[in-house]
Amino acid sequence: MTENAQQQPTAPHTELPTQYAPADVEGPLYERWVERGYFEADAKSDKPAYTIVIPPPNVTGSLHLGHAFQHTLMDALTRRKRMQGHEALWLPGMDHAGIATQNVVERELGKEGKSRHDLGREAFVERVWQWKDEYGGRILGQMRRLGDGVDWTRERFTMDEGLSQAVQTIFKRLFDDELIYRAERIINWCPRCLTAISDIEVEYQDDDGELVSIKYGEGDDTLVVATTRAETMLGDTAVAVHPDDERYRHLIGKRIKLPLTDRSIPVVADAHVDPEFGTGAVKVTPAHDPNDFAIGQRHGLESLTVMDERGVITVHGPFEGLDRFEARSAIVAALRAEGRIVAEKRPYVHSVGHCSRCKTTLEPRLSMQWWVKVGPLAQAAGDAVRDGRVRIHPADMSKRYFDWVDNMHDWCISRQLWWGHRIPVWYGPDGEVVCVGPDEEPPTGEGWTQDPDVLDTWFSSGLWPFSTLGWPEQTPDLKKFYSTDVLLTGHDIIFFWVARMMMFGLYAMDGEVPFKTIALTGLVRDQFGKKMSKSSGTAVDPLDWMDTYGSDAVRFTLARGANPGTDVPIGEDWVQASRNFANKIWNATRFALMNGATVDGPLPDASAMSATDRWILSRLNKTVAQVDAFYEDFQFAKLSDALFHFAWDEVFDWYVELSKTTFQAGGEPAEVSKRVLGEVLDVTLKLLHPVVPFVTETLWTTLTGGESVVVADWPQDSGFRDDAAEREIETLQSVITEVRRFRADQGLQPGQRVPARLALDGTALAPHEAAIRQLLRLQPEGEDFTATATLPVAGAEVALDLSGTIDVAAERKRLAKDLAAAEKEKSQATAKLGNEAFLAKAPDNVVEKIRGRLAKAEDDITRIRAQLDRLPQQ
């Protein structure tokens, strides 16, 4: 099985408490692992490297179920590779979370009646650092609660000195390669946070708005446009129609009057316009809409900004100074007064972007920003997947990846914040623009100023796989642990973080990929598959579940739901079931220890083993092979399910129970089974350890006397198979299961003893008579034995004397009543399904439900008749 079982030191078994108490075990155990350095990776080691960098949580964040889910899977991967002999590095750290962190500190200042402008930039940034040192990083302690086996000696922060140097270095290189530029473009603007924000920080939701149709122009030169943002009409510089739209061909090239203003605007022909949508004519506001901006670029239109950074109208006297939403109502009223409103629809539900941090409605805004020219970078990111250097798992997610990188727009990387990496560009008094690298001195003198903006948080986190390993320095860590092996992350950020890491990694590391595999997970949902939310009361704090059921239970529940790329439903009942599984492992190991299970010495030769011993070892090796295959394919749900059923069903419910007779009989067979049971538990606990680390560590060290299962050898499939023993025990299981079912059908209590005669001679069951009798509570037949029920099973015969155990007449009466009810149900269902008029009108789900009732009734009739046939004749 494994050499470790023979080599590991042993010690007298410590008696386990009668019950497992996770709260008493988990905290001290984790600190012991950290103190002993089990999670620390050695860059000088000659072991093969295995690297995962943690998706850095926000410094403002706390552990939610999504974190717990992904961290459980990353921890399982890393723990297994460590046990397999790899130099495993799981590198932790945090993201400075520019806008989120700045908002938190600004709220704190607000309680003091101050704003960041009262402090000034330098003092405000110092205040943020103070907040980070005092309150930030709460999630790191919560990761310890979960059992994250990360190398805390390598913890990084996106604003620490090394990562800041990496940010400045790559900015300088991209700038020098003309892949970073400054230009006016449309961006997502938050009027409350007063900054551009990234696409991933936009939350779309359906809002009740209004759709108004407005008549532009006069007389024959009129057309109608519809808009949900009437206030932006003040910035219209054209109306666009499709070039092939016959309705408007006579207007193309003409100028028409823009209502409420003294301006006229051209009618332009643009293929972007859908002639089938609405009136087929659209207003063009290049400074306040990304599609309109593109039309404006194609037709050389002027871009008029009509709102300031706070969403206040800045033009046209009657509306100047109004908030954008106040202006919307006022402009519609003014248009209505002029007879310009053709139609109004309220409420008009449509999708609107909101700031994920403050929930303010965002405003598309033309703004001077810094941009990354993503064309060549995105091409390289796509090629790395196409040519197989990077594998996306599951493979069907590749299409979404290509759809994104093959159609990526240039990336806005500047933010109008104070907390973050300052853009390393200085402007001179005569229009000079100088980008400064980390080893260069910025220009000084009168009139020189640094760009006030900071970089998008995703810019620094895009460097994470190599900046955390010491880049741009050629460190031993970088040499040993780059490329990383697996990026495990949610499919929801494949477009943002994943693509950026791919672009930057390939660029900075001369074409070497940042990770070999992108393993995409789904999102955690409630037990009904719906999104968890605080407002609906379905959000769950995983720490509450850990307090109640233990971290292992939470981890096992999450892993057992983790099918690649698909969402994970989770409910408290499932966590409770996982806690029961941990208790089952505990109790079974405790039983084994009390009965002398051992890992001392080599396994006995197969010839000395019983069929039961050979069966469980054969099943054990198949399980090892199966679990390994599932790990390589990131099938966490399947490997967890395989381990659950092997441990609970085969080891605890069958092998342990079957071994009890052997242990009671004593002698050499008992000694062999004790060694086999020890081996099975040793390997099973190791297989379970990456997913449920705490209970397995406690049990394994107690069972084996070994130092820690964290650094034990991962089990290997020895190749031992015994199909004949498996068939024999499967036959035994079928006999026991069938007789148990019959006993239950007759209303016998599980512990109730029944006289029985077993005819097993000449069958594979003959050696198992003692086990059959013990597990089925069958006592030997006496002189007055009468076979009142005979069960032919698996070529053998089990005769039972039920005369003294049940009231046959009462049982027949009960079953006859149940049979009549089942037959009535069958008759009613059959009649409905035979009624053509009913079938024509009934919904499909109703018809399907009746078919299910018919099938159940037929099964019940068959079962009850079989029970009646087995009862003694009166």
Side-chain angles (χ1 to χ4, degrees), residues 686-717:
K686 288 177 184 174
L687 292 174
L688 284 165
H689 173 73
V691 180
V692 284
F694 293 107
V695 69
T696 51
E697 169 80 339
T698 305
L699 295 175
W700 187 85
T701 52
T702 304
L703 171 71
T704 68
E707 179 187 346
S708 172
V709 71
V710 176
V711 291
D713 292 338
W714 181 254
Q716 296 182 20
D717 174 10

Side-chain angles (χ1 to χ4, degrees), residues 455-726:
L455 286 163
D456 177 14
T457 296
W458 296 97
F459 190 94
S460 52
S461 60
L463 315 181
W464 191 252
F466 52 95
S467 64
T468 53
L469 297 172
W471 187 90
E473 303 298 324
Q474 296 304 305
T475 64
D477 274 5
L478 193 64
K479 182 178 180 181
K480 176 74 174 179
F481 296 111
Y482 190 89
S483 298
T484 69
D485 288 84
V486 178
L487 172 72
L488 191 143
T489 190
H491 62 65
D492 56 325
I493 59 172
I494 185 173
F495 311 133
F496 306 102
W497 188 47
V498 177
R500 283 150 172 67
M501 286 189 290
M502 285 284 281
M503 292 191 301
F504 280 169
L506 291 162
Y507 174 79
M509 299 300 292
D510 300 320
E512 194 174 358
V513 297
F515 22 75
K516 302 177 184 73
T517 299
I518 301 169
L520 296 171
T521 70
L523 309 178
V524 180
R525 305 286 188 180
D526 69 17
Q527 59 188 318
F528 305 109
K530 296 181 180 179
K531 183 178 180 180
M532 291 186 173
S533 69
K534 292 180 180 178
S535 59
S536 63
T538 57
V540 172
D541 185 344
L543 296 169
D544 291 340
W545 280 353
M546 288 184 216
D547 289 341
T548 305
Y549 303 109
S551 297
D552 284 333
V554 174
R555 290 171 60 114
F556 192 71
T557 305
L558 291 165
R560 205 173 177 193
N563 290 299
T566 60
D567 290 348
V568 183
I570 185 172
E572 188 166 2
D573 288 351
W574 305 341
V575 184
Q576 186 173 353
S578 295
R579 188 270 312 273
N580 295 344
F581 178 52
N583 289 341
K584 185 79 169 180
I585 302 169
W586 183 272
N587 293 333
T589 306
R590 187 168 177 271
F591 164 85
L593 291 171
M594 292 170 63
N595 283 274
T598 180
V599 297
D600 293 340
L603 278 172
D605 189 79
S607 61
M609 296 180 189
S610 66
T612 309
D613 294 332
R614 297 195 307 277
W615 159 73
I616 197 62
L617 289 176
S618 182
R619 290 294 307 129
L620 178 65
N621 276 282
K622 287 182 179 179
T623 301
V624 170
Q626 190 179 37
V627 168
D628 277 334
F630 286 145
Y631 261 115
E632 295 307 314
D633 199 35
F634 303 99
Q635 298 282 356
F636 295 98
K638 291 182 178 178
L639 73 89
S640 299
D641 214 46
L643 285 170
F644 175 87
H645 287 296
F646 174 71
W648 192 306
D649 299 344
E650 296 185 278
V651 179
F652 305 150
D653 278 359
W654 283 108
Y655 183 70
V656 167
E657 292 300 316
L658 289 170
S659 298
K660 286 179 179 178
T661 349
T662 309
F663 293 156
Q664 289 170 2
E668 185 59 25
E671 296 306 311
V672 170
S673 290
K674 289 175 183 178
R675 178 64 188 89
V676 170
L677 179 55
E679 178 75 4
V680 170
L681 286 175
D682 172 24
V683 173
T684 302
L685 292 170
K686 288 177 184 174
L687 292 174
L688 284 165
H689 173 73
V691 180
V692 284
F694 293 107
V695 69
T696 51
E697 169 80 339
T698 305
L699 295 175
W700 187 85
T701 52
T702 304
L703 171 71
T704 68
E707 179 187 346
S708 172
V709 71
V710 176
V711 291
D713 292 338
W714 181 254
Q716 296 182 20
D717 174 10
S718 70
F720 178 83
R721 301 288 190 275
D722 194 324
D723 292 337
E726 289 196 42

Side-chain angles (χ1 to χ4, degrees), residues 29 142 194 200 277 280 323 339 381 468 492 579 601 699 767 773 854:
L29 200 52
Q142 295 167 342
L194 299 180
I200 199 171
F277 183 77
D323 171 80
T468 53
D492 56 325
R579 188 270 312 273
L699 295 175
R773 286 191 176 277
L854 175 60

Side-chain angles (χ1 to χ4, degrees), residues 15 38 132 137 161 210 217-218 250 309 318 357 371 451 502 507 512 545 573 643 660 701 737 743 838 855 866:
E15 186 176 339
Y38 291 153
K132 184 259 181 186
E161 184 177 352
E210 61 181 359
E218 302 290 350
H250 67 289
E309 61 185 8
R357 304 300 175 189
W371 303 81
D451 193 295
M502 285 284 281
Y507 174 79
E512 194 174 358
W545 280 353
D573 288 351
L643 285 170
K660 286 179 179 178
T701 52
T737 301
R743 286 175 56 106
F838 170 77

Side-chain angles (χ1 to χ4, degrees), residues 334-470:
L335 289 167
R336 191 183 299 114
E338 287 191 4
R340 292 282 179 177
I341 300 297
V342 175
E344 298 180 66
K345 184 177 181 180
R346 295 188 186 86
Y348 179 73
V349 179
H350 61 135
S351 181
V352 177
H354 294 257
C355 176
S356 64
R357 304 300 175 189
C358 68
K359 312 308 177 187
T360 300
T361 300
L362 296 174
E363 192 65 40
R365 175 179 169 82
L366 183 63
S367 179
M368 181 67 76
Q369 302 284 345
W370 285 95
W371 303 81
V372 172
K373 186 184 296 182
V374 300
L377 302 174
Q379 175 70 41
D383 290 345
V385 175
R386 288 189 175 94
D387 63 26
R389 284 176 289 156
V390 176
R391 175 173 69 116
I392 292 180
H393 188 280
D396 59 9
M397 289 282 183
S398 298
K399 182 181 183 303
R400 295 177 63 184
Y401 176 79
F402 292 133
D403 286 346
W404 178 256
V405 297
D406 293 346
N407 301 284
M408 194 181 295
H409 300 295
D410 284 0
W411 169 23
C412 176
I413 56 172
S414 47
R415 299 291 178 266
Q416 290 63 56
L417 303 171
W418 288 356
W419 172 245
H421 295 101
R422 188 88 173 263
I423 288 176
V425 171
W426 273 255
Y427 305 110
D430 298 318
E432 302 96 331
V433 178
V434 176
C435 181
V436 177
D439 299 322
E440 300 171 349
E441 291 294 326
T444 57
E446 187 177 348
W448 282 93
T449 58
Q450 186 177 0
D451 193 295
D453 290 351
V454 300
L455 286 163
D456 177 14
T457 296
W458 296 97
F459 190 94
S460 52
S461 60
L463 315 181
W464 191 252
F466 52 95
S467 64
T468 53
L469 297 172

